[in-house]
Every structure is written in C-alpha cells, then in structure tokens.
Amino acid sequence: MPESVHRISVAVVDPAGQLIARSGDPGLHTFWRSAAKPFQALPVVADGAADRFGLTDAEVALACASHSSEPGHVSLAEEMLRKVGQTEADLACGPHVPLSPVMAATVMREGIHMSPAWSNCSGKHAAMLAISLHRGWPAHGYERLEHPLQQRILSEVSRWTGEPVESIGLGVDGCTAVSFALPLVGMARAYARFGRSDEPAMVRIRNAMMAHPWLVAGTGRSCTDLMAAAPGRLAVKLGADGIYSAVLIRSGIGVALKVEDGDMRASPATLVAILRDLAQRFEPDLVDALAAPEVARHARLAIYSTRGQVTGYLQVVGALQYETPVGVRTVMAEAR
Amino acid sequence: MPESVHRISVAVVDPAGQLIARSGDPGLHTFWRSAAKPFQALPVVADGAADRFGLTDAEVALACASHSSEPGHVSLAEEMLRKVGQTEADLACGPHVPLSPVMAATVMREGIHMSPAWSNCSGKHAAMLAISLHRGWPAHGYERLEHPLQQRILSEVSRWTGEPVESIGLGVDGCTAVSFALPLVGMARAYARFGRSDEPAMVRIRNAMMAHPWLVAGTGRSCTDLMAAAPGRLAVKLGADGIYSAVLIRSGIGVALKVEDGDMRASPATLVAILRDLAQRFEPDLVDALAAPEVARHARLAIYSTRGQVTGYLQVVGALQYETPVGVRTVMAEAR
C-alpha cells in the first residue's frame, strides 16, 4: 500500500538544448542549489586562479563538491586554503552536521569541533577566495551578491543555462553564497553543454569531477557511486532540497530534476531510474554499469522497523514523457 | 521565491462525523501511524488491565505517546514494565535516534546504549504487554496481526473511525506493531468521537493526555505545546510520515491531515493554521491560546544558513474549503 508520494519535475534536453523528454513541469522555476557548482567553479579555472595557485585536478573537483566531511575532504580543503594563502577564518561558510552519516556519528561521539572547512561547500568557498585574490577583488564578502565574483558567476550561469540574467532568481544558500533560481530546462541545457563543451576550463572541470568522484560527494553517496560506476561517461551533481543535474557525456543529453517537496532520498532514486531509461535508448553500453549494486542501492531504498525488519521501501513510479510520440516515418535518401 | 512545496490533504468533521471542511483529498487512504495511539491504548483501560496493574494517568498518557526519549519518559516506561512484571526484553519495539534533538545529541555524545524503553512507542508497547497478560493472551508476539490484541485493537479502530474492518489496510509500523490505513475522514471522525465520548475508558485516556502533555511528546514538541497552551480544550496526536489528528473538545470538531510527501515539519505547521481557523469560527476564546509563542513557533519555521542567518522559512499557504459555501439564509422561529 502506498504511504507517501514525492512528485518530481524533470527536464531532459538534447545537445542542442531542445527538450526531448519531461515529467511534471520541465519549466519549473526553482533553486539550482549545489547542482550549480561546476558553473560556480568555472571562473577559478577560466580566469587563471587555479593555475596561479597550483590547484590540482583533485582540488578543482572539490571546488565542485558537496562533500561528506570525511577526513580526506576536510584536509584537501585546508590544503587549498594554504595554497591560496588564506585560513579557515576567511571562509564565509559555516560547518553543519556532515552529509556522511558515519562522519555525523563520529563528530557527535567524539565531540569534534567542526571548523568551516567541514562545510560540504568548503572546496567551493576556497576556490571563491582563490579567484577573488587572483582578480584583485576583496576577499571579504566574496559570497555576497554585490561582490564582483558573484556577478561573474551569475553571468556564467546565464551563459550556460541560456536564461537571461534578469530572469534568474537570487537567494542565499545554506553556505551563505548566492543561490540561483531558474527553470529546470535551463539547468538541463547547461549540463548538456557542460558535457560536450570544448572550452578548456570546462573540459578541465568536467574531467576533474569524473576522475575524482569520491571528492565530489563521498563514501556511499549517489554522485560518487554513479560517476565511479561509469567512468568518463556521466557527470552528475545533486543539490539541496531535491535537486539533481546530470549529463550523459557521449550522447550529450542533459537532465535536471526537482523533487517538489525537497526530499533528498527521492532525488537520487529518480535520477538513477531516468539515467537507466536514457541509457537504454541512447547509450545502451551504459546499461550494465547502471545496474551495478552500488548504483542500484540508490534506486530502491528499504524502510526498516526499529528491529531491522523491512516494513516498506521507496519505489520510483511513472515514466518520462518523450516529446516524440510513437510513430513510423519513411525516410527518403538524399539525391546528392 | 518558493522553493519546495508540501501538498496536504485534510478532513474536518463535526461531532456527528459529517465532513464540514476539506483540503486536497479528505478521502485519502493512508496509514494512521502513531495518531492511532489513543485507540490502540483503549483496550488496556477498557478491559481492566490499567486498574489491575495500577497504571496511573501519567502512564496511560505515556501509552498514547510518541515520546522524546527524555529521562522522564524512559523511566516511566520502565516503571510501567515493573508494574506489569515484565522487562525490556519483552518489548517488541527497538530503540532509534530520539525524537528530541537534545536527547539525540546526548546519546551520540555520551555513547549511551539505548534499550527498547528508549523507543518513542515504549509506553504503547508496555501497555500492550499489560493487556495481553491481563487477558491471558501470550505476551510473546503481542505486536503481530494474528495476536488477539491486534485483532482487538483493529475492531476498536473500526468502531471509532466507522470504517469496516475489511477496508482497513494493515502494515507494520516502525515499532513493529500493526499500523492501520484508512481514509482521513475516518480518522477525523474517530477524533471527533474521542473528544466527546462519555465511555469511561475513553474519558480517562482523553483526560490523561490533556493532563500530561509533556508525556505525550516532549520538550518543545508540537503535541505537547498545543495541549499545554489550551489545557482541557484540545487533544492532538501526530504520527510518522506527516500525519496529524486532533479534536477541539468543546465544539467536538475532529481534524485529520496527511502531508502527501510525509514531511514532519509541514504537519505541525499546518495543524496550527487549521486549529486557528477552526477556533476563530467555532471556539473564539481559544484564539489567544493558539497565538502563544510556544504554539506560533511551530507555525512558521525559519530556515538558517550554516552561519545562522535566516535564508528562508516554512509558510502555510491556502485555506480550508468549507462544505457550506457563502450564503444567507432566513430562519423561521419554531411555532412550539
């Protein structure tokens, strides 16, 4: 018997940015949250700050991450700060309960004091400091809308999504940086372009994420497990409140989804189901990778009683509605 | 700018069980979860087990509780077990992260081993043991559908909700006991009857809950704060996955709601808004109590960044749709 329902809106676009499949409202205007991170990280590479401070590909991946605050994540964020010549006191983000349940329990059990580098966004913030220093902008206030960095990022968000700057909503994310609201189809379009771009900075960011899936999220997290299961074939990034964006690299198909109610179990489960459907149609050699147990466990989550018995489960229902209805066409060969 | 949306279905009935207001689908068939607890506790009082074992009104309130695992809750559950001559090993429920964030942090920080009495349902389970022993039923397996106790409870659920036994869905709750699925309007009807019943066992349960609001939930929890703000005027009980049921005692109006997606912040916020609306129309002298800060803080929750700034909030939108549309009627005095 069904108990609760999470409604989900989805936009799927082809490499040209045309909507090819949908569910719910693909024009839903909502916050992109952390799925915007590759575009928030772009200026640090494009404008030369990454080279100037000698940031590695691993550090570029961490700049795009919502990491789990595992020791390797926190220490790499600290290393980025050292390279940039800044300290944690310069980070605008604050710590929070780690996204890794294991780390959350460790922190509580051991009474660990969490510094700002423990924020899942600490890589993004360290990168924001790097570009601000590189460009000669004030380091203080880099997270605020009026700072030139956020204006620079806003113009990138507009360029990649195809949404005019004036139609992009501006809020404050949990990490205090600017968050961008726009239609799902714009997010999908940006990821389609991200997956096929030959701009050197974007190529570096894409490859860094795919080469370091653990740094983009963490142990057992869906972004990590998906990119690790299909190396070089998928770039995916979740965001808070039920956001996910992804691109299938070879076909250049971009996906964006939002769980209407913001649930964070429903979004990975749905993304896996959508990627499987798209793989079957457009990249059949990806099907096996998406059936792997590390991926499958995000697709159907069991619900347990306090005695460990399975009392229910999360199940993805429904299907994408493709823009091309079923039909048959005859095709005539070109004369030339 | 809106970010996420929780859709909510509501049924409001008058003392006769007639639907007087709705939102969404008042006939939504869903699990009653812990809002069924007064009816699950009824047999322990009605069949004489509470008197036989000398259970106090506080202990009867705990039998109806989803408590916060604060020390006073856990020790009272242990005391109930002592009176019944049972131990925690006889409880079918298992412990879980306490519903009180303070207790959850304490448990993690101090590495406390949680026994089954820490379950938010431990009072209910201790009462289930009491009646099983009193009636001469096996203590072992009291939580299972085939046990006579669960059949006894099922018949009470049917009697109070007005739903035929065969139409009531049966699942396993997080605490391993049977959970009942039925239309929201049936839940509202049961609460309307619960609020005005003169059956001695139900009067005792109702008064026990209203006299011991802290035992029914815990510090800062919505059930506790609502019943404490309006002593003797409201009986309310939440359930997992976005369920809430309530009755305004004087007008005998019963309410049941379900957050479609199961969110647990949206349900108390919505209940407060609905109770305020109903109070204004039917029990105006309750309006002030429902404006109290301890109640108001459940109605509009702030969302904070990791630096403590308010970045958004939860807001109840929309309104109940009353079954009687706006109109004017003339009334003629009776001749007799």
Side-chain angles (χ1 to χ4, degrees):
Chain A
M1 276 168 294
E3 180 167 31
S4 294
V5 175
H6 304 286
R7 300 188 198 214
I8 295 159
S9 285
V10 187
V12 181
V13 304
D14 68 14
Q18 283 302 307
L19 192 72
I20 59 167
R22 70 170 78 202
S23 188
D25 176 12
L28 181 71
H29 196 93
T30 190
F31 282 97
W32 208 4
R33 307 296 295 265
S34 286
K37 276 175 177 162
F39 308 93
Q40 291 172 300
L42 183 62
V44 81
V45 180
D47 295 7
D51 287 341
R52 152 104 168 255
F53 294 110
L55 299 185
T56 62
D57 283 352
E59 288 159 346
V60 169
L62 197 72
C64 303
S66 300
H67 67 68
S68 284
S69 312
E70 295 175 76
H73 299 123
V74 176
S75 62
L76 193 61
E78 289 166 347
E79 173 64 13
M80 287 175 77
L81 286 170
R82 267 191 298 276
K83 286 184 176 176
V84 177
Q86 299 286 294
T87 72
E88 292 193 57
D90 301 305
L91 293 176
C93 54
H96 52 80
V97 178
L99 300 179
S100 151
V102 174
M103 285 312 301
T106 304
V107 163
M108 298 288 263
R109 194 174 57 243
E110 301 181 6
I112 294 169
H113 168 78
M114 292 189 291
S115 55
W118 284 70
S119 162
N120 78 82
C121 303
S122 59
K124 176 180 85 174
H125 280 255
M128 286 179 169
L129 275 172
I131 180 167
S132 298
L133 294 167
H134 177 65
R135 293 287 301 262
W137 297 327
H140 188 73
Y142 67 83
E143 77 283 9
R144 296 199 198 115
L145 181 59
E146 59 273 20
H147 191 278
L149 170 61
Q150 299 300 328
Q151 294 296 321
R152 170 89 179 78
I153 290 171
L154 174 57
S155 73
E156 289 293 349
V157 167
S158 173
R159 180 165 75 95
W160 290 85
T161 61
E163 300 297 325
V165 164
E166 56 278 13
S167 78
I168 295 174
L170 301 164
V172 179
D173 215 323
C175 68
T176 75
V178 177
S179 185
F180 307 95
L182 58 131
L184 286 176
V185 68
M187 303 175 195
R189 203 179 293 130
Y191 267 72
R193 291 174 179 165
F194 166 47
R196 307 266 278 201
S197 171
D198 55 8
E199 291 185 20
M202 207 41 132
V203 171
R204 186 173 177 198
I205 285 173
R206 182 175 72 224
N207 289 339
M209 284 177 66
M210 293 195 293
H212 299 282
W214 181 80
L215 289 172
V216 175
T219 308
R221 300 263 311 280
S222 57
C223 288
T224 298
D225 289 342
L226 274 165
M227 291 194 288
R233 301 291 300 275
L234 293 172
V236 306
K237 185 71 196 71
L238 64 64
D241 261 54
I243 283 286
Y244 231 124
S245 298
V247 57
L248 288 96
I249 301 294
R250 288 205 188 155
S251 54
I253 291 175
V255 180
L257 68 84
K258 161 78 178 172
V259 182
E260 180 184 273
D261 59 84
D263 187 77
M264 296 294 288
R265 296 175 306 175
S267 47
T270 307
L271 183 72
V272 170
I274 288 171
L275 291 177
R276 285 174 172 174
D277 186 31
L278 294 172
Q280 202 122 41
R281 289 164 194 265
F282 301 105
E283 303 194 26
D285 64 327
L286 262 185
V287 167
D288 284 353
L290 293 172
E294 312 82 62
V295 172
R297 64 186 198 75
H298 297 285
R300 182 172 157 139
L301 301 172
I303 299 169
Y304 297 93
S305 79
T306 53
R307 287 291 194 182
Q309 74 205 98
V310 174
T311 60
Y313 52 86
L314 237 80
Q315 181 186 40
V316 181
V317 294
L320 288 175
Q321 183 183 339
Y322 282 82
E323 297 298 305
T324 312
V326 173
V328 174
R329 61 179 180 183
T330 59
V331 177
M332 190 173 292
E334 279 190 75
R336 290 179 300 170
Chain B
M1 276 168 294
E3 180 167 31
S4 294
V5 175
H6 304 287
R7 300 188 196 214
I8 295 159
S9 285
V10 187
V12 181
V13 304
D14 68 14
Q18 284 301 307
L19 192 72
I20 59 167
R22 70 170 78 202
S23 188
D25 175 13
L28 180 72
H29 196 93
T30 191
F31 283 97
W32 209 3
R33 308 295 297 264
S34 286
K37 276 175 176 162
F39 308 93
Q40 291 171 300
L42 183 63
V44 81
V45 180
D47 295 7
D51 286 342
R52 153 105 167 256
F53 294 109
L55 299 185
T56 62
D57 283 352
E59 288 158 347
V60 168
L62 197 72
C64 303
S66 300
H67 67 69
S68 285
S69 312
E70 295 175 76
H73 299 122
V74 176
S75 63
L76 194 62
E78 289 166 346
E79 173 64 14
M80 288 175 76
L81 285 170
R82 267 192 297 275
K83 286 183 176 177
V84 177
Q86 299 287 293
T87 73
E88 292 194 57
D90 302 304
L91 293 177
C93 53
H96 52 80
V97 178
L99 300 179
S100 151
V102 174
M103 286 311 301
T106 304
V107 163
M108 298 288 263
R109 194 175 56 243
E110 301 182 4
I112 294 170
H113 168 78
M114 292 189 290
S115 56
W118 285 69
S119 162
N120 78 82
C121 303
S122 59
K124 176 179 85 173
H125 279 254
M128 286 180 169
L129 274 171
I131 180 166
S132 297
L133 294 166
H134 176 65
R135 293 286 302 261
W137 297 327
H140 188 73
Y142 67 83
E143 78 283 9
R144 298 201 196 113
L145 181 60
E146 59 273 21
H147 191 278
L149 170 59
Q150 298 302 328
Q151 293 296 319
R152 170 89 180 77
I153 290 170
L154 174 58
S155 73
E156 289 294 349
V157 167
S158 172
R159 180 165 74 94
W160 290 85
T161 61
E163 301 296 327
V165 164
E166 56 279 13
S167 77
I168 296 174
L170 301 164
V172 178
D173 215 323
C175 69
T176 75
V178 178
S179 185
F180 307 95
L182 58 132
L184 286 176
V185 68
M187 303 175 195
R189 202 179 293 129
Y191 266 73
R193 290 173 179 166
F194 167 49
R196 307 267 279 200
S197 172
D198 55 8
E199 291 185 22
M202 208 42 133
V203 171
R204 187 174 175 199
I205 285 173
R206 182 175 72 223
N207 289 339
M209 284 177 66
M210 293 194 293
H212 300 282
W214 181 80
L215 289 172
V216 175
T219 308
R221 301 263 311 280
S222 57
C223 288
T224 298
D225 290 343
L226 274 164
M227 291 194 287
R233 300 292 300 276
L234 292 172
V236 305
K237 184 72 195 70
L238 64 64
D241 260 55
I243 283 287
Y244 230 124
S245 298
V247 57
L248 289 97
I249 302 293
R250 288 205 187 154
S251 54
I253 291 174
V255 180
L257 68 84
K258 161 80 178 170
V259 182
E260 179 184 273
D261 59 85
D263 188 77
M264 296 294 289
R265 297 175 307 175
S267 48
T270 307
L271 183 73
V272 169
I274 289 171
L275 290 177
R276 284 174 172 173
D277 185 33
L278 294 171
Q280 202 123 40
R281 289 164 193 264
F282 301 106
E283 303 193 28
D285 63 329
L286 262 186
V287 167
D288 284 352
L290 293 173
E294 312 82 62
V295 172
R297 64 187 198 74
H298 297 285
R300 183 173 157 137
L301 301 173
I303 298 168
Y304 297 93
S305 79
T306 52
R307 286 292 194 181
Q309 75 204 96
V310 173
T311 59
Y313 51 86
L314 237 81
Q315 181 186 41
V316 182
V317 294
L320 289 175
Q321 183 183 340
Y322 282 83
E323 298 296 306
T324 312
V326 174
V328 175
R329 62 180 179 182
T330 59
V331 177
M332 189 173 291
E334 279 190 74
R336 289 178 302 171

